[in-house]
Amino acid sequence: MPNTGPAIVVDKLCKYYGANKAVDNISFTVKSGEVFAFLGPNGAGKSTTAEVIETIRVPTSGTVTVLGMDVTKHKAKVVRRIGVLPQNFSSFDRITVRESLQYFARVFGCRADVDALMDLTDLRHKSGAPFNTLSGGLKQRLGIAIALVSDPEIVFLDEPTTGLDPHARHQIWDVLRGLKARGKTVFLTTHYMEEAELLADTVAIIASGRIVAMDSPAKLTEEHAEQTRLTLTSIDATAVGLIRSLGFSPIPKGNDSLSVPIKTPDDVRRILAEIERAGLALGGLDVRKPNLEEVFLKLTKTPAVSAQVRAA
Amino acid sequence: MSPRIIAANLGVRLKSFYRERSAMFFTFAFPVILVLVFGTIFTKPEHLNFDLPVQDNSRSEASSRLLEALAAGDAFTVKPVPVAVDATQYAKEHKLNLLLVIPKNFEVLQKQRVVGPHAGVPVPLDYVYDPSSTAVETKIQLLHAIVAAANQKATGSPPAITLNAVSILSERYRFIEFFVPGIIAMAIMTSCLSSVLNMNAELLQKGILRKLATTPITRADWLASSIVYQLILAVVSTAAILLVSYFVFDVRLHIGIWLPLILVVEVVAFTGIGMLLTPFAREAESASAVANAFLFPMMFLSGTFFPVEMMPAFLQTFAKLLPLYYVNEALRSAMIFVDDAATLRSVGVTAAFAAVVFVAGTFRTRWDEST
């Protein structure tokens, strides 16, 4: 039955491992057709939440509905309508790419177009290669192709680019853009800000088992990030007074650098014109827009979480 | 349970097995090698023959007769030892576990035994032996038997008691015929337990089971495909053992309806045990240790390599608690003794055990928290 409501509804979800609270009373809704990124440092609870939604784990309390079905009561029906790329995906070592796709198609009892799936994930040239001979990026792409074998309405991708080199990561992003273009609902867990910013319609930031912010990347940035900053390097110390006289609040950084919060491109022109008029030397400049990483670091700023984020 | 899913799992497993040449070699070749090795050793026990070094210090007609008697029965091949050497030292230097010494006055003593003051006094023969040798007991027993026969012959009277052998079997069987069913049982047990434990540990460690948990595969599908897969391996392995035994050692065993039935109950029993033990073997390293902890006691205490009757009483009682004991009994009853009643009893015990471990194994199999 086609789903007309939200793809996923999580309501007051808690998950304990013994006395350890992995997920702490979280609620959110994923709309049909959107890319929902679940962002958090390692151990924040994002994979546990995803695994509860994917029917692998049982919630300690709260409810999770997928396509209108309670995951604890309708596992058999739910798994037929979702596709999952688990964290650290692996498959049968000596089974080829084509055979793996055929195997999962038989398991789901569907007539999957294996060639089309290999084309979508750019795996056609590796169709006869056994799994244990594939590179990390190719394995992840096969995992995504397998997740799509039953033409699911929701695709769960748990850290699909972790451990991949930049080239392989960009290839995975191309595949995700393809899914988005096909109107799939994508539930993406990641600790890469750039990934979420580029691909997601909605981002939920989770830290220590709690959702600390949730909105579109643009709104999160607008709401939580600092202003755009102009950084001036190798500049005379007298520039501080000059820029202040224009109504800005420059912050000295090191011996000969200044950081100036600005609002518009015209602010940059005004400051540079004044420096030129005063005949002050200027070594270099950099204009940095606020980004999701800044928001993330700000919202997850506990010592332990910050350390994890830096490590990630 | 879905035949489509079972067939899909089976296909993947058989392809993986076929492409893993070392696994294929050890699954099929190891039991065949055991049959070849033990068959070669034990095929013709009636022609058991040992070298017997003899130092003949007498070099007389009487000592020649004794040497002829020793060589006559096919038990010994007499090997002369120089007379000038010290027999004990010679045995040590040449690592001999038994050396017979005929005294210099052997013929004189033989004559004195018949007439004169020493009449009736036995003639002493010394033998030097190595008590640490495992084979020496058998050689000494054979030597005693030959000397006893010679003594009896020397008295000139016919033997008071003779033994007539009446076999309970219609045909004459050798050790190899008893050994082959044990090897079949052992090969199937090893394949089921090791394969289930190693495969499950590998799938768990790599996270493949977590992926399978998000598919329509059920525990029953998984168990059923494991059993069918093991059954195929069991049939191929049994056929290989029987064919090698037949063509190399002319082993002819009764192959009837019981054999496939016994294979099925054994596969279900040991696949069930494998599933039951999986939670204790979550990594490949621990899987081998757990498998060996169960395989070795069963292999050596269930009558596969030597009869249970040879073991102390408490171990015999323990052996009868082991499922492999009943599989061995069932196979031998069916393939050697052709005794339907005895086969049924052993198959019944094995089937009951299989049912219990299968049900328990099904409940213990978990790849996610929701099952």
Side-chain angles (χ1 to χ4, degrees), chain B residues 249-260:
Chain B
F249 301 111
D250 194 28
V251 172
R252 293 159 193 265
L253 296 167
H254 181 77
I255 298 168
I257 188 67
W258 283 115
L259 180 59

Side-chain angles (χ1 to χ4, degrees), chain B residues 266-279:
Chain B
E266 185 183 6
V267 164
V268 175
F270 287 105
T271 304
I273 293 178
M275 292 291 180
L276 212 51
L277 294 176
T278 294

Side-chain angles (χ1 to χ4, degrees), chain A residues 15 51 55-58 75 79-80 84 86-87 90-95 99 103 106-109 146, chain B residues 4-5 7-9 12 15-16 19-20 202 206 208 210-217 368-370:
Chain A
K15 177 66 185 173
E51 286 176 356
T55 76
I56 297 174
R57 297 194 184 279
V58 178
K75 177 185 166 74
V79 295
R80 290 189 175 279
V84 178
Q87 200 174 354
S90 188
S91 187
F92 303 100
D93 275 347
R94 285 169 186 78
I95 300 301
E99 287 167 348
Y103 165 71
R106 288 182 77 184
V107 163
F108 277 96
I146 287 171
Chain B
R4 185 194 71 247
I5 292 176
N9 282 336
V12 160
K15 277 179 192 162
S16 296
R19 289 168 189 170
E20 169 77 71
E202 188 189 343
K206 287 185 170 176
I208 299 174
R210 204 170 51 210
K211 169 66 194 174
L212 296 180
T214 63
T215 68
I217 300 175
D368 59 48
E369 290 181 350
S370 60

Side-chain angles (χ1 to χ4, degrees), chain B residues 61-114:
Chain B
E61 201 178 311
S63 66
S64 296
R65 280 199 302 274
L66 176 63
L67 293 177
E68 277 171 26
L70 288 170
D74 275 350
F76 292 119
T77 301
V78 173
K79 301 280 180 184
V81 172
V83 292
V85 299
D86 176 72
T88 306
Q89 194 60 32
Y90 186 87
K92 278 184 189 171
E93 285 172 4
H94 291 80
K95 299 190 187 313
L96 303 176
N97 56 15
L98 183 66
L99 191 159
L100 184 66
V101 182
I102 302 175
K104 194 171 185 179
N105 56 350
F106 181 68
E107 190 167 50
V108 176
L109 290 172
Q110 283 239 319
K111 284 175 182 167
Q112 285 177 351
R113 191 189 152 273
V114 181

Side-chain angles (χ1 to χ4, degrees), chain B residues 305-356:
Chain B
F305 293 103
F306 46 84
V308 171
E309 290 73 25
M310 283 176 66
M311 298 190 298
F314 75 95
L315 276 182
Q316 289 189 35
T317 308
F318 178 68
K320 288 172 186 171
L321 298 174
L322 301 174
L324 190 65
Y325 170 83
Y326 294 96
V327 178
N328 280 330
E329 289 290 302
L331 283 171
R332 286 178 181 140
S333 300
M335 299 176 84
I336 300 171
F337 304 110
V338 197
D339 182 343
D340 287 343
T343 309
L344 181 63
R345 275 196 300 277
S346 296
V347 169
V349 174
T350 314
F353 179 84
V356 170

